[in-house]
Amino acid sequence: MKILLTGAAGFIGMTTALRLLARGDEVVGLDNLNDYYDVTLKESRLARLTPHSSFRFVKIDVADTPGIAKLFAAEQFDRVIHLAAQAGVRYSLQNPHAYIESNILGFTNILEGCRHTKVQHLVYASSSSVYGGNTKMPFSEHDSVDHPVSLYAATKKANELMAHTYSHLYGLPTTGLRFFTVYGPWGRPDMALFLFTKAILEGRSIDVFNHGDMQRDFTYVDDIVEGVIRVLDRVASADPSYDAVRADPATSNAPYRVFNIGNNNPVNLLDFIGCIENALGMKAEKRLLPLQDGDVPATYANTDALNDWVGFVPGTGVQDGINRFVTWYRDYHKV
């Protein structure tokens, strides 16, 4: 298939592109290479993709309305994986407009491109952050997510609503995937695993929020990508059992689906740090701090629906995943 992959220079994007190329798909990778974090890391990821004859890179911002429309018209993609977004909960507290431009306007441009060129299936990244103030565990797609606690979360919930509208009005099959704390080699420098590893190796203390009383459903990147590919290959369809009187937020009478994609096994933050210490053979000096605005104390994915849909079962334990990250980090940074 000919696939548009947005956010191709990103952590999940690069790993997804490599899997698509390995199985013989043609991939057009899109990224704006912004400086939200180290551009050199993004360029290094792209350097792993460009040797493939079936990969082409296009430097463009998803918020470039005429540019995206022109790209869709020229390329006539079969399917689209939309991972490009302004990421990060904490950054959204200081830079709200970046999230509206990338996550709302940019997503509109992708939807319009899919609509006008009759794309077979749009798979897009949502986030576990949409669960916001929910305290019922594990998080289920069948529960309401109407109380976000960050603008980032609000934009991701908006993406799900926008996708449903296009599925309903234009018959565009869309599937949203709520990612749960993805980690692994080539990961983002603003994520906890990267920050903690860097600080420990440099002999600096690490910031541990909510005094360590945090749980995250850490999900290894290869497991995430396996789920993304499986979902891409099963086009969203209307739920024949959908009941509009007792509406299920995860399905519809339109070709629309939303799934959690996580490890289905939350890990205490202090245990996660212990795994990093084991991998490094060094102890961390911890600076215990209160919970940050926009953050939540726990995430936990119920992945039964995704298992039923495509047979997704995560297979990487946290210690194993962290060991792989640390091996990559030491090699990449020569430390």
Side-chain angles (χ1 to χ4, degrees):
M1 293 183 291
K2 186 176 187 180
I3 296 169
L4 171 64
L5 174 67
T6 73
F11 163 43
I12 304 172
M14 177 207 72
T15 313
T16 303
L18 288 170
R19 282 288 303 277
L20 292 169
L21 292 165
R23 73 176 198 172
D25 290 318
E26 178 184 354
V27 179
V28 175
L30 177 159
D31 207 290
N32 67 355
L33 297 179
N34 68 33
D35 61 358
Y36 169 62
Y37 62 81
D38 182 15
V39 175
T40 304
L41 177 57
K42 299 180 181 184
E43 292 171 340
S44 296
R45 294 185 188 126
L46 279 179
R48 302 187 71 207
L49 302 176
T50 47
H52 293 265
S53 59
S54 296
F55 178 82
R56 283 183 293 125
F57 175 63
V58 178
K59 185 179 179 182
I60 188 173
D61 195 309
V62 289
D64 178 352
T65 301
I68 293 296
K70 183 178 178 181
L71 180 70
F72 270 91
E75 298 288 351
Q76 298 293 312
F77 302 109
D78 295 314
R79 298 185 185 180
V80 174
I81 301 175
H82 178 55
L83 304 177
Q86 178 56 61
V89 168
R90 290 164 193 158
Y91 188 69
S92 69
L93 302 178
Q94 285 80 41
N95 298 274
H97 292 287
Y99 291 77
I100 300 303
E101 183 173 331
S102 180
N103 300 3
I104 302 299
L105 174 57
F107 192 59
T108 303
N109 291 338
I110 295 299
L111 287 168
E112 278 289 277
C114 291
R115 166 199 171 192
H116 288 296
T117 59
K118 299 194 176 354
V119 164
Q120 299 166 7
H121 192 196
L122 166 64
V123 176
Y124 62 94
S126 184
S127 167
S128 62
S129 67
V130 300
Y131 288 101
N134 288 25
T135 56
K136 177 185 170 187
M137 297 285 174
F139 293 152
S140 169
E141 305 95 330
H142 307 299
D143 295 335
S144 168
V145 288
D146 291 335
H147 298 87
V149 297
S150 71
L151 183 65
Y152 170 68
T155 63
K156 288 299 186 178
K157 170 60 176 173
N159 287 171
E160 295 178 4
L161 296 171
M162 294 160 71
H164 183 270
T165 303
Y166 273 69
S167 295
H168 170 74
L169 290 175
Y170 310 115
L172 171 66
T174 66
T175 303
L177 292 172
R178 294 173 177 169
F179 293 160
F180 279 70
T181 317
V182 189
Y183 75 100
W186 298 93
R188 283 182 10 222
D190 62 321
M191 298 292 283
L193 178 54
F194 199 113
L195 291 170
F196 290 169
T197 299
K198 185 174 191 292
I200 294 168
L201 285 170
E202 293 174 358
R204 295 183 289 107
S205 63
I206 62 174
D207 291 341
V208 181
F209 294 104
N210 207 36
H211 306 284
D213 187 17
M214 303 269 280
Q215 285 192 322
R216 287 290 181 270
D217 204 343
F218 295 101
T219 314
Y220 191 67
V221 64
D222 288 358
D223 291 334
I224 287 283
V225 171
E226 178 66 29
V228 170
I229 300 295
R230 290 188 185 204
V231 165
L232 179 72
D233 290 344
R234 181 166 183 185
V235 177
S237 59
D239 181 357
S241 62
Y242 181 76
D243 181 355
V245 176
R246 289 177 288 274
D248 180 351
T251 67
S252 175
N253 52 11
Y256 165 89
R257 301 279 169 155
V258 171
F259 296 105
N260 290 335
I261 181 165
N263 203 44
N264 192 223
N265 182 28
V267 174
N268 185 278
L269 181 58
L270 294 177
D271 293 336
F272 186 74
I273 293 167
C275 290
I276 300 172
E277 292 173 327
N278 290 340
L280 291 172
M282 300 172 67
K283 284 292 182 182
E285 179 186 339
K286 306 174 188 71
R287 196 163 70 108
L288 302 180
L289 298 170
L291 188 69
Q292 283 204 317
D293 288 342
D295 215 343
V296 297
T299 65
Y300 178 5
N302 180 323
T303 56
D304 291 347
L306 189 59
N307 188 3
D308 291 344
W309 186 248
V310 293
F312 171 80
V313 179
T316 308
V318 169
Q319 184 66 71
D320 186 21
I322 288 175
N323 290 345
R324 295 183 205 177
F325 171 83
V326 167
T327 298
W328 166 81
Y329 185 95
R330 286 185 177 278
D331 180 66
Y332 182 80
H333 292 280
K334 305 294 187 288
V335 292

